[in-house]
Amino acid sequence: MNPTYDFNGQVALVTGAASGMGAATARAFAEAGAALVLVDRDETRLEEIGRAITSAGGKAITLAGDVADEDLAKAAVGRAIAEFGRLDMAYNNAGILGPMCPMPEETGEGYDAVNAVNLRGVWTFLKHELIQMRKQGAGAIVNCSSLGGLVGLPGRAAYHATKHGVIGLTKSAALDVAAEGIRVNAICPGCIDTPMGDGIEPEAMKAFLADQPIGRAGRPEEVASVVLWLCSPAASLIVGVALPVDGGFVAH
């Protein structure tokens, strides 16, 4: 049984909220009482998630767009303040896998596309979330890195580069604001059963799971539980970490 949290009166922002870990985390925040600002480029699925939360008695507003667009990040934080008066928590989750191929075969266009979402997209939202949280003197932010931020694997150089970058961004930003009552951390999910995994060839997925000691893919809800813990007072001393959520992959 997962711990329960009381986030009534608090506001959370989630990017990549239309599916997978983002959607699971949005639902978990809502179940804990938080009001939500949800962001994703898939407007149709995003609105479905928003309606499901409001239909269940929660509070959620949605904004569709490209997380690499700094204007979107500024607007999302602005909507949180306009609608709910504050911003307490954020999960910067949006990410893409991009083409899988040996590094010499990668294209500049492909690298730029992955970098725009996975690293710049985290940077844009983190920046504007921190601007607001500094005004409040409190807040908790979780950035989504990846197992790919901790190790290297063949055929994924661009993806892993961006996820390593998220960890560096997280650590530096955490040190910028730790004394101001704001905590910034990162999680590093391993193989999780989400739509992103559909882009991995079955044989590659089988080989990957063979190295995941628990012998199965993680569930989005398992990641959501870690995000909520990191945003809760229970994690009040956790600052600037890159926490593996990987079924033991990096333990060997």
Side-chain angles (χ1 to χ4, degrees):
M1 180 181 294
N2 286 329
T4 58
Y5 303 101
D6 182 2
F7 290 142
N8 281 287
Q10 297 189 54
V11 182
L13 189 158
V14 179
T15 70
S19 64
M21 298 182 297
T25 303
R27 288 191 291 266
F29 271 131
E31 290 168 2
L36 288 159
V37 178
L38 306 178
V39 179
D40 200 285
R41 64 184 180 184
D42 187 336
E43 185 172 9
T44 300
R45 294 179 69 177
L46 181 66
E47 290 181 352
E48 290 174 358
I49 296 293
R51 284 194 298 270
I53 289 171
T54 56
S55 295
K59 298 177 181 178
I61 57 176
T62 60
L63 289 87
D66 181 354
V67 293
D69 181 358
E70 190 172 352
D71 288 341
L72 177 65
K74 186 176 181 179
V77 174
R79 286 289 301 279
I81 306 313
E83 298 283 341
F84 305 123
R86 58 188 300 109
L87 178 64
D88 302 284
M89 304 168 288
Y91 177 38
N92 298 317
N93 164 74
I96 60 173
L97 186 61
M100 294 175 58
C101 62
M103 193 273 167
E105 298 173 19
E106 290 183 343
T107 66
E109 294 80 7
Y111 173 84
D112 288 343
V114 174
N115 188 72
V117 176
N118 292 4
L119 185 53
R120 179 179 169 85
V122 173
W123 177 87
T124 58
F125 275 79
L126 178 61
K127 173 184 174 179
H128 288 279
E129 291 154 2
L130 288 176
I131 289 171
Q132 176 59 31
M133 289 178 180
R134 290 180 105 173
K135 296 175 183 176
Q136 298 172 183
I141 298 172
V142 178
N143 296 324
C144 194
S145 178
S146 167
L147 174 66
L150 299 171
V151 303
L153 289 172
R156 303 179 190 177
Y159 178 80
H160 284 229
T162 63
K163 293 302 187 176
H164 275 71
V166 168
I167 293 175
L169 175 63
T170 297
K171 290 182 176 182
S172 292
L175 296 177
D176 281 336
V177 298
E180 300 177 53
I182 305 166
R183 295 184 299 105
V184 184
N185 292 291
I187 58 169
C188 300
C191 183
I192 310 297
D193 185 11
T194 70
M196 181 182 285
D198 296 342
I200 301 175
E201 294 180 358
E203 287 303 312
M205 179 64 77
K206 183 178 179 180
F208 191 92
L209 287 174
D211 282 333
Q212 189 148 301
I214 63 171
R216 64 169 176 84
R219 298 184 298 273
E221 293 76 15
E222 291 177 300
V223 176
S225 68
V226 177
V227 176
L228 265 65
W229 173 70
L230 284 171
C231 287
S232 77
S236 58
L237 201 60
I238 311 301
V239 175
V241 305
L243 179 63
V245 188
D246 66 350
F249 189 99
V250 297
H252 64 74

